[in-house]
Amino acid sequence: MLHSSSDMYGASKILLITVLLLRDAGHEVYVVLSEEGLLAEAIRKEGVEVRIIRLGILRRKYFNPSGLLNRLQVIRNAHRELVKLAKEKQVMHLYSNTTAVLVGAWVARDLRIFHTWHIHEIIAQPRWLAWVLGKMVGRYANQVIVVSQAVKEFWNQIIPHKELTVVYNGIDYSSYIDAKPALRQEAPIPEGHLLIGMIGRISHWKGQGYFLDIAKKLTQANPNLAFVIAGDAFPGSEHLVTEMQQKIKALDLEKQVYALGFRTDVPEVLASLDVFVLPSILPDPLPTVILEAMASGKPVVATAHGGAREMVKDSQTGNLIPWDDAAKAAEIILPLIQKEELRMEMGNKARKRVLEHFSLEAFRRNMLDCFSKARRPKI
C-alpha cells in the first residue's frame, strides 16, 4: 500500500482505516510512505510494517522543469526499491492511495500484479495535469475506487471507458460523539461569543483566505463572534501560513481569529464550535472533516461543489454557500448565528445523517468487496 504523505489529514486517516480492515480480514499488509510522521507511527503501533521510500510524490512545487526532472529521478529510484520489496514479500496486489502516487502504476505493470488506484482528488487546475493523470489511471489501474459521485463524474470526463467504483469514506465516530469542548479553556474567547471554525490543510484551495473574508462580513453584522482555523501547511509551503497571518492583520481580525496550527485533538476542537465551515474554493472530493463535524453534532456550512453536495443536506443539516461571494455566504450563515434552536436542529440531523449514510461498517464492507476482486492481470 503506497500513500502520498505521513500526516493525519483526511486521505491518511482513510488509509489507516483501510490498512487495519485488511489486516483484520487476514491479509498480509505492507505500507510504504515517503517520510516518517504521525501516520507511520500510528500504523506501526498497530503492528503493521512500514517502509520509508521516497516515492516521488507529485506536488505543485515541482511544476517546473527542474522540479519535474527531480520527480522522474526519485520515481526511478523508488521503482527499483519497490520492485525489490514486492519480490521479497511476494506481493500480489498493489494499492496506490491518491493520484499523487505515480510509481505504483509502473511497478504493478512490470511485475504483472493487480493494481488498485484509490482516487481522493478533483484536479480542477491545472487541467493538463488532470488529463495526464487520468490517462495514467486509465492505462495502469486494474481497479479504480473513487470517494464520491462528484469525483466519479470528474474523472469520467477524462477516462470515460474505465469503470469507477464509488466508495464513500466512513470512520469511527465514537470519539466525536463523546468529545468534550476544550478550546474555551485554552483560547481567550470572550464570554457569550459564538465560535465558528474550519479545519484543514493550509493550501491555495482549501479556502482559509475565503474563510477570513466571510469572517469579516459576519463580524460587521454581529461583533460577538470568534473564529478558529486549525491546520498546517505542507513542508515547503509555510509561506501560506505567513500569508494567512498577514491577511488576518490586514482585515483587522486579530482579536477575533485564532490560528491553532495542526491539532491532534480534532474531536475536542469540533465539540467547541457552534458552526463548522468548509470554505474550499475548488471542489473538495469528499472531505473527511465534514463527516467528523457532522458526527460532532454541528451544522456544517460548505461551499456548493464537490463531494460536499452529497454530504450536506442544504437547509437541513447545514447550508451550502457560493465559493466566490463572501457577502452572500455571510448572508446565508447569519440565521445560524442568530438562532440557537436552528443550530441544534441542524446539528442533530447532521449526526443522524452521517451515522446512517457514511458508516464505518459500510466503508469496510465496500472496501473488502473491492479487494476481493483482485486477480493477477492477464499478459
Side-chain angles (χ1 to χ4, degrees), residues 219-238:
T219 55
Q220 290 171 347
N222 185 337
N224 298 321
L225 300 175
F227 304 85
V228 297
I229 300 175
D232 60 2
F234 278 115
S237 300
E238 290 83 1

Side-chain angles (χ1 to χ4, degrees), residues 224-261:
N224 298 321
L225 300 175
F227 304 85
V228 297
I229 300 175
D232 60 2
F234 278 115
S237 300
E238 290 83 1
H239 66 279
L240 296 174
V241 178
T242 302
E243 291 173 8
M244 180 185 74
Q245 293 168 338
Q246 290 172 342
K247 183 161 187 173
I248 292 172
K249 185 175 182 179
L251 290 174
D252 194 25
L253 289 172
E254 292 170 290
K255 294 182 179 179
Q256 287 83 26
V257 177
Y258 303 90
L260 305 178

Side-chain angles (χ1 to χ4, degrees), residues 11 53 99 199 222 284 290 307 316 345:
I53 298 173
T99 57
I199 301 173
N222 185 337
D284 215 328
I290 286 184
Q316 296 181 42
E345 179 185 354

Side-chain angles (χ1 to χ4, degrees), residues 43-304:
I43 294 172
R44 289 194 184 108
K45 187 176 180 180
E46 295 291 341
V48 176
E49 182 176 340
V50 177
R51 296 282 185 95
I52 304 300
I53 298 173
R54 291 184 63 207
L55 297 174
I57 303 305
L58 200 59
R59 306 281 186 215
R60 289 180 181 271
K61 65 180 180 179
Y62 296 111
F63 291 177
N64 55 72
S66 62
L68 294 174
L69 179 60
N70 170 274
R71 293 298 83 186
L72 289 173
Q73 292 171 338
V74 175
I75 286 172
R76 183 166 59 243
N77 293 334
H79 178 277
R80 182 176 62 253
E81 293 295 318
L82 288 171
V83 167
K84 180 180 177 181
L85 176 62
K87 289 180 177 179
E88 172 193 338
K89 301 297 186 181
Q90 298 182 324
V91 170
M92 300 172 63
H93 186 171
L94 193 147
Y95 166 92
S96 297
N97 197 44
T98 79
T99 57
V101 181
L102 305 179
V103 66
W106 295 301
V107 173
R109 177 202 62 186
D110 293 346
L111 296 181
R112 293 183 52 245
I113 56 180
F114 194 91
H115 183 212
T116 294
W117 217 325
H118 197 165
I119 300 181
H120 298 252
E121 303 99 331
I122 295 174
I123 303 177
Q125 300 173 5
R127 190 68 180 183
W128 65 264
L129 178 62
W131 186 88
V132 170
L133 294 176
K135 297 308 177 184
M136 285 189 61
V137 171
R139 182 172 180 179
Y140 295 118
N142 301 107
Q143 175 176 235
V144 182
I145 302 170
V146 294
V147 298
S148 67
Q149 188 64 33
V151 176
K152 180 176 182 177
E153 291 171 0
F154 175 82
W155 289 103
N156 266 340
Q157 299 173 59
I158 302 170
I159 41 176
H161 304 299
K162 195 76 174 180
E163 181 181 354
L164 309 181
T165 302
V166 176
V167 176
Y168 286 123
N169 293 338
I171 61 175
D172 181 357
Y173 298 113
S174 58
S175 62
Y176 300 92
I177 293 172
D178 299 333
K180 304 300 181 184
L183 277 186
R184 290 183 183 271
Q185 289 74 45
E186 173 186 336
I189 300 166
E191 186 72 25
H193 279 46
L194 292 183
L195 192 55
I196 301 170
M198 70 166 292
I199 301 173
R201 272 282 191 196
I202 297 178
S203 72
H204 73 285
W205 66 275
K206 276 292 186 179
Q208 283 83 7
Y210 187 43
F211 179 78
L212 293 173
D213 291 332
I214 295 171
K216 184 63 177 180
K217 297 293 184 183
L218 288 173
T219 55
Q220 290 171 347
N222 185 337
N224 298 321
L225 300 175
F227 304 85
V228 297
I229 300 175
D232 60 2
F234 278 115
S237 300
E238 290 83 1
H239 66 279
L240 296 174
V241 178
T242 302
E243 291 173 8
M244 180 185 74
Q245 293 168 338
Q246 290 172 342
K247 183 161 187 173
I248 292 172
K249 185 175 182 179
L251 290 174
D252 194 25
L253 289 172
E254 292 170 290
K255 294 182 179 179
Q256 287 83 26
V257 177
Y258 303 90
L260 305 178
F262 177 76
R263 302 291 293 223
T264 57
D265 59 341
V266 171
E268 288 71 27
V269 172
L270 286 169
S272 304
L273 303 181
D274 294 291
V275 179
F276 176 79
V277 179
L278 190 75
S280 306
I281 59 175
L282 295 176
D284 215 328
L286 194 88
T288 303
V289 70
I290 286 184
L291 302 180
E292 296 169 336
M294 292 170 72
S296 301
K298 305 302 174 181
V300 173
V301 176
T303 42

